[in-house]
Every structure is written in structure tokens, then in C-alpha cells.
Amino acid sequence: MRVSHIAGGVLLAVAAGGAGFAALAWRSEIDPVDPPGRAAFEPAVVADGARLVALGNCLQCHTAPGGKPFAGGYPLDTPFGTIHGTNITPDPETGIGTWSEEAFRRAMAEGVGRTGEHLYPGFPYDHFTKVTERDNRALYAYLMTREPVRAEAPPNQLPWPLTFRPLLAGWKLLFLETGEYRPDPQRSEEWNRGAYLAQGLAHCGACHTPRNALGAREAGEEFAGGFSEGWHAPALNRESTAPVPWTRDALFDYLRTGVSEDHAVASGPMAPVVRNLSDVPDSDIRAIATYVADRMGAPDGPSAEPVAQAGGNQATGQEQGRAATIYAGACATCHEPGGPLQFQAPVALDRATSLAQPNPSNAIRAILHGVETPDAAAQPLMPGFANALTDGQVAELTAWLRGRFSGGPAWDDLESKVAEARSGRSAE
């Protein structure tokens, strides 16, 4: 009798827990609407939405390579699998044409789709929850006035149980902080504007913050550096390893043009961000630069010389000799003053952020795949050497560059990291 009572209690507890979880995970469907036409929105609101969409880099993640704008299909590689950007054109069948403004706002603020499904945080609603109702209205107006495109996004490639979306309710309970951005009254209007954009719609921390085993941003590590699609996103706080400390003006130049002569050229996932920001007014860019510079403890004036770092090159003499020969033949023509091409790279290598980072991913990928100019229509700024150099040669060259131009501690296991980068696998 006692055993049956215990078993019954366990079953009752399981049933109650299941019911509680179901209640937590359930979200109601919001009734569909007829797609509103362009006449439903004021032109000024649509124009404001265009600016906000550019700040959010929405076009990049919701457009497949070679596809129609905002029609979905972009493959976002994560440590858990590949998630495809959805169609956010006003197509009523495959897009968001039947979404009301209320449904759109719920997706941004809570990560829940119109029919009640929980959205994967590859869509960074953990940042978008800070977006104001006014800005959400402008975003909605802009997207609803785009060309409708009928296009089904490919299915996500995720293992079970991650395909069971109700589990995301538990993730949100643990990690999602809701509520619009609240200005700091002790800060300037420009600082607060930059904080609102960087923390919210521009979602800088989505890439520049480390993540835990469940894919959530590490608490207390905001802007301490992270990974995106195999690239290392450097720290944007006082943990920055940049040889030359960033200033507000340098950050503004980088976000405005994609180039900071004392730091870096926008590459990898950052390149399309800069391209989208070209449609954003200087005031928004400067506000973001003001906020990030404050997080980094940036100096008031420019710093002329790179900061010396401890460490050194641990390569053998033979390896250094081979790497020096590769550098002389493949790199020095652009990276040394007075090279035969009469062209000098925009960032001196002793100032290059990629060589000073704790992770070699960016340096390796630049060598393998080259660097494009911020203007995608222009010629590459640096060619890739994936077809000219072996994994071992790239590893030796990377180690040599780290030792000569950074002085930081030697990077470990470079050849396997080169193989990962060449294959497209994530090195996170």
C-alpha cells in the first residue's frame, strides 16, 4: 500500500510538472490580418524604419546569398546547428504579411511568432526587447511596405530536442530580461542614445559577448568578446587587447567607413554591418561610438604608439625562416613601406587588432580568404591565399606574424585551427 502511494505521488508530481511547463510554454495565436498597403503608413514613419532596419542589420540575416531582400534563407551557423533567417517581406503565405503590429511587437519583445511558436534566439530578441514601441512601429511600417516575395526558408538543421520549441520557454525563463531600455539620468543624451542602440537594436553584444553552454550571454561579461560564424568578435570593454587604445573618433571612423588606420578593417560578419550602417546618419554612429568608447575606457586623445605586450614567438628557427620567406613573397609587397606594388595596407601590422587578440581566428581567416573593402562592389583589399599555401604554411606564417608584430603569447594548435577555418567549421 505504501509503495503504491509513493508511486502515485511521483506520477502526480510528474503530471503537475508537465502541466506547469505546458502552461509556461503556451502562447496564444494572434489573429491574422490582411496585409496593410503602403497607404496605411506615414512616409516619415517608413523612412525612420529604414534607418532602424539598417541599424539592426536586418537585411543581412534575412536575405539568402543572391536572394531577394528580406525574403529569408540566410544560413546562420551556431554551435548547435544552422538556423535560417525567415522571410520578413509582407508576403501573406511565407512572410509576415498577415502579422499585425501587435504580433510584430511580441516577436521583438518576447521572441514569440504570430501563431504562438517560440522563436530561436538566433533572432536576437534578447536585445530587441529593449526597443521602444515607437521604433517597433517604424520597423513594422518599413517592412510592410517592402516588395512581397513568396519564398520558404530552408528548414533549420538542429538536433533533437532542440527542434522541440516549447523548450525555449525554459531558456527564456532562465536568461531573457524583458523591458524597454531605461535611460541613465547621470549620463548625456548622446551616451544614452548610444547605449539604447548598442544594447538593443544594433545588438552589439550578440557577437561581442561570450556565451555559456546553453547559448546565452554570460552574466557579467557584457562586451568581453565572443564569436560569430567562426570569427572572433573582440572585447569592447576594458579587456580590449587592441595594441592602440580605441578612441571615440577611431570607433566612429571604423563604423562609418569600415577602416580605422590604427586598428582594423571590417571583415567577416562585421563587413555587412558597416555596409548597412552607411545608410545611418552620423549622429547615430557617433552615439554608439560614444557609448562603446566609455565602456572601453578610451583615452580622450589619440594614442600614437602601440602598447607593448609580454610574450614572444615560440616557433623554431627553421619555422621562423620558412615563415619569413612566405611573408617576404606574399605579404611584404603591401605590408612593408616602399614595397614593389607601391601600396601600403591601411592598417600597420603592429597595430592590427587581429594579431593582438587572444584567439587567432581572424588572422587565419584573413590569410586564407582575404579582406574585402567595406564597399562590396569594389575590389578585394587583400587577396586570399587558401589556394597558394598549405595548412602548415598558414600556421607558420600566423605564428610568425604574432611574434613579430604583436609580442603576445604564442597561439596554440594553429594548424588544426587553420584546417577548421579552411573547411568552414567553427573554431568557437
Side-chain angles (χ1 to χ4, degrees):
M1 190 71 172
R2 181 180 180 84
V3 173
S4 64
H5 285 172
I6 294 175
V10 170
L11 290 174
L12 183 61
V14 170
F21 179 78
L24 171 70
W26 182 81
R27 290 293 184 273
S28 63
E29 177 177 345
I30 294 178
D31 291 337
V33 299
D34 293 330
R38 179 176 290 270
F41 305 101
E42 297 180 10
V45 177
V46 174
D48 198 34
R51 175 182 62 86
L52 295 167
V53 162
L55 279 162
N57 199 34
C58 308
L59 180 64
Q60 174 65 19
C61 290
H62 289 279
T63 305
K68 292 288 187 68
F70 304 110
Y74 179 83
L76 178 65
D77 293 326
T78 78
F80 307 99
T82 301
I83 297 173
H84 290 91
T86 54
N87 183 340
I88 55 172
T89 73
D91 178 68
E93 295 181 5
T94 62
I96 60 172
T98 60
W99 286 41
S100 63
E101 185 179 321
E102 178 192 0
F104 181 82
R105 183 211 57 79
R106 185 174 71 169
M108 294 286 285
E110 302 177 30
V112 177
R114 186 191 67 77
T115 57
E117 75 280 12
H118 290 277
L119 304 178
Y120 291 107
F123 174 64
Y125 51 80
D126 55 336
H127 294 270
F128 294 164
T129 185
K130 296 182 181 294
V131 177
T132 65
E133 183 177 345
R134 176 185 179 276
D135 283 351
N136 274 327
R137 180 171 296 116
L139 288 163
Y140 178 75
Y142 177 79
L143 292 173
M144 284 298 182
T145 54
R146 299 308 93 201
E147 175 192 357
V149 179
R150 193 184 191 291
E152 293 276 3
N156 297 323
Q157 298 170 0
L158 297 170
W160 191 89
L162 298 182
T163 52
F164 185 61
R165 288 183 183 253
L167 287 178
L168 292 167
W171 187 93
K172 293 175 183 179
L173 185 65
L174 291 172
F175 304 117
L176 182 61
E177 297 180 8
T178 58
E180 295 181 7
Y181 174 77
R182 305 176 80 173
D184 183 343
Q186 305 300 317
R187 298 287 190 169
S188 68
E189 182 179 351
E190 183 176 64
W191 187 97
N192 273 297
R193 176 64 178 167
Y196 167 69
L197 293 175
Q199 294 178 25
L201 193 58
H203 60 285
C204 305
C207 295
H208 290 274
T209 299
R211 294 184 177 270
N212 61 25
L214 295 178
R217 288 172 289 146
E218 289 279 9
E221 295 292 323
E222 193 72 15
F223 296 123
F227 281 89
S228 176
E229 301 182 71
W231 290 77
H232 180 249
L236 299 181
N237 59 15
R238 294 174 190 271
E239 297 180 31
S240 169
T241 59
V244 177
W246 286 88
T247 65
R248 185 184 71 159
D249 288 344
L251 286 164
F252 174 83
D253 289 343
Y254 178 74
L255 293 173
R256 180 81 288 169
T257 68
V259 178
S260 170
E261 293 185 359
D262 283 335
H263 301 92
V265 176
S267 303
M270 195 63 200
V273 171
V274 171
R275 287 197 287 271
N276 280 310
L277 289 179
S278 65
D279 294 327
V280 171
D282 285 355
S283 57
D284 282 339
I285 302 296
R286 193 162 295 282
I288 295 173
T290 296
Y291 170 71
V292 174
D294 182 66
R295 294 294 303 256
M296 300 181 83
D300 293 333
S303 181
E305 295 300 326
V307 178
Q309 300 184 33
N313 199 329
Q314 299 178 11
T316 66
Q318 184 179 20
E319 289 171 341
Q320 290 192 45
R322 290 197 300 262
T325 299
I326 295 171
Y327 176 82
C331 313
T333 53
C334 292
H335 287 282
E336 293 291 331
L341 295 183
Q342 299 300 310
F343 171 80
Q344 190 169 359
V347 181
L349 290 179
D350 62 346
R351 297 167 182 259
T353 300
S354 61
L355 293 177
Q357 291 177 358
N359 186 288
S361 297
N362 295 1
I364 289 171
R365 288 171 182 269
I367 293 170
L368 286 174
H369 307 303
V371 176
E372 292 184 351
T373 53
D375 179 1
Q379 293 298 315
L381 187 64
M382 171 181 154
F385 294 92
N387 294 328
L389 301 176
T390 66
D391 289 355
Q393 289 171 325
V394 173
E396 289 179 1
L397 176 60
T398 303
W400 185 85
L401 292 169
R402 169 78 161 175
R404 175 179 169 184
F405 294 106
S406 165
W411 285 319
D412 296 326
D413 198 22
L414 280 173
E415 191 162 346
S416 69
K417 289 182 171 66
V418 173
E420 288 175 344
R422 190 187 292 272
S423 68
R425 301 194 308 274
S426 173
E428 300 173 33

Short mmCIF file of all heavy atoms in Angstrom, two decimals, residues 76-77 118 120 181 194 208 239 260 314 369 380 404:
data_model
loop_
_atom_site.label_atom_id
_atom_site.label_comp_id
_atom_site.label_asym_id
_atom_site.label_seq_id
_atom_site.Cartn_x
_atom_site.Cartn_y
_atom_site.Cartn_z
N LEU A 76 22.60 30.89 -40.70
CA LEU A 76 23.37 31.34 -39.55
C LEU A 76 23.92 30.13 -38.82
O LEU A 76 23.17 29.33 -38.24
CB LEU A 76 22.48 32.17 -38.61
CG LEU A 76 23.15 32.68 -37.33
CD1 LEU A 76 24.26 33.67 -37.66
CD2 LEU A 76 22.12 33.32 -36.40
N ASP A 77 25.22 29.97 -38.87
CA ASP A 77 25.86 28.83 -38.21
C ASP A 77 26.06 29.12 -36.73
O ASP A 77 26.62 30.15 -36.35
CB ASP A 77 27.21 28.52 -38.87
CG ASP A 77 27.06 28.02 -40.29
OD1 ASP A 77 26.06 27.33 -40.56
OD2 ASP A 77 27.93 28.31 -41.13
N HIS A 118 7.59 29.64 -30.11
CA HIS A 118 8.75 30.32 -29.57
C HIS A 118 9.84 30.40 -30.64
O HIS A 118 10.11 29.42 -31.35
CB HIS A 118 9.28 29.57 -28.35
CG HIS A 118 8.37 29.67 -27.15
ND1 HIS A 118 8.40 30.74 -26.30
CD2 HIS A 118 7.41 28.83 -26.68
CE1 HIS A 118 7.49 30.57 -25.35
NE2 HIS A 118 6.87 29.42 -25.57
N TYR A 120 13.75 30.96 -32.04
CA TYR A 120 15.12 30.69 -31.60
C TYR A 120 15.87 32.01 -31.38
O TYR A 120 15.69 32.96 -32.15
CB TYR A 120 15.85 29.84 -32.64
CG TYR A 120 15.33 28.43 -32.73
CD1 TYR A 120 14.56 28.01 -33.81
CD2 TYR A 120 15.61 27.51 -31.72
CE1 TYR A 120 14.07 26.71 -33.90
CE2 TYR A 120 15.12 26.21 -31.79
CZ TYR A 120 14.36 25.82 -32.88
OH TYR A 120 13.87 24.53 -32.93
N TYR A 181 14.59 49.80 -22.92
CA TYR A 181 15.77 50.46 -22.35
C TYR A 181 15.35 51.62 -21.45
O TYR A 181 14.47 52.41 -21.80
CB TYR A 181 16.68 50.97 -23.47
CG TYR A 181 17.85 51.79 -22.95
CD1 TYR A 181 18.95 51.16 -22.39
CD2 TYR A 181 17.82 53.18 -23.01
CE1 TYR A 181 20.01 51.91 -21.90
CE2 TYR A 181 18.88 53.93 -22.53
CZ TYR A 181 19.97 53.29 -21.97
OH TYR A 181 21.03 54.03 -21.48
N GLY A 194 23.41 56.06 -27.57
CA GLY A 194 24.34 55.00 -27.97
C GLY A 194 24.11 53.72 -27.20
O GLY A 194 24.17 52.62 -27.77
N HIS A 208 29.78 40.25 -29.49
CA HIS A 208 30.93 40.70 -28.71
C HIS A 208 30.85 40.32 -27.24
O HIS A 208 31.57 40.89 -26.41
CB HIS A 208 31.09 42.22 -28.86
CG HIS A 208 31.55 42.65 -30.21
ND1 HIS A 208 32.87 42.70 -30.58
CD2 HIS A 208 30.85 43.02 -31.31
CE1 HIS A 208 32.98 43.11 -31.83
NE2 HIS A 208 31.76 43.30 -32.31
N GLU A 239 38.70 45.04 -21.30
CA GLU A 239 39.52 43.86 -21.58
C GLU A 239 40.06 43.86 -23.01
O GLU A 239 40.69 42.90 -23.45
CB GLU A 239 38.70 42.60 -21.34
CG GLU A 239 38.27 42.42 -19.88
CD GLU A 239 37.47 41.15 -19.67
OE1 GLU A 239 37.72 40.16 -20.40
OE2 GLU A 239 36.60 41.13 -18.78
N SER A 260 39.79 51.68 -39.58
CA SER A 260 40.48 52.52 -38.61
C SER A 260 41.96 52.28 -38.80
O SER A 260 42.44 51.14 -38.62
CB SER A 260 40.07 52.18 -37.17
OG SER A 260 40.93 52.85 -36.25
N GLN A 314 57.29 31.55 -30.15
CA GLN A 314 57.87 30.29 -29.69
C GLN A 314 58.19 29.34 -30.84
O GLN A 314 58.49 28.18 -30.63
CB GLN A 314 56.90 29.62 -28.72
CG GLN A 314 56.62 30.46 -27.47
CD GLN A 314 55.63 29.80 -26.54
OE1 GLN A 314 55.28 28.63 -26.71
NE2 GLN A 314 55.16 30.54 -25.55
N HIS A 369 41.25 33.74 -46.72
CA HIS A 369 40.16 34.21 -47.57
C HIS A 369 40.29 35.66 -48.01
O HIS A 369 39.47 36.13 -48.82
CB HIS A 369 38.82 34.01 -46.85
CG HIS A 369 38.61 32.60 -46.37
ND1 HIS A 369 38.65 31.51 -47.21
CD2 HIS A 369 38.40 32.10 -45.12
CE1 HIS A 369 38.45 30.40 -46.52
NE2 HIS A 369 38.30 30.73 -45.25
N PRO A 380 38.73 43.39 -53.85
CA PRO A 380 39.21 43.00 -52.53
C PRO A 380 40.41 43.84 -52.11
O PRO A 380 41.26 44.20 -52.93
CB PRO A 380 39.61 41.53 -52.72
CG PRO A 380 38.81 41.07 -53.89
CD PRO A 380 38.68 42.27 -54.79
N ARG A 404 56.27 38.62 -34.43
CA ARG A 404 56.96 39.82 -34.88
C ARG A 404 56.16 41.09 -34.60
O ARG A 404 56.73 42.09 -34.18
CB ARG A 404 57.23 39.73 -36.39
CG ARG A 404 57.85 41.03 -36.92
CD ARG A 404 58.17 41.00 -38.39
NE ARG A 404 58.52 42.36 -38.84
CZ ARG A 404 58.78 42.69 -40.10
NH1 ARG A 404 58.75 41.76 -41.05
NH2 ARG A 404 59.06 43.93 -40.42
#
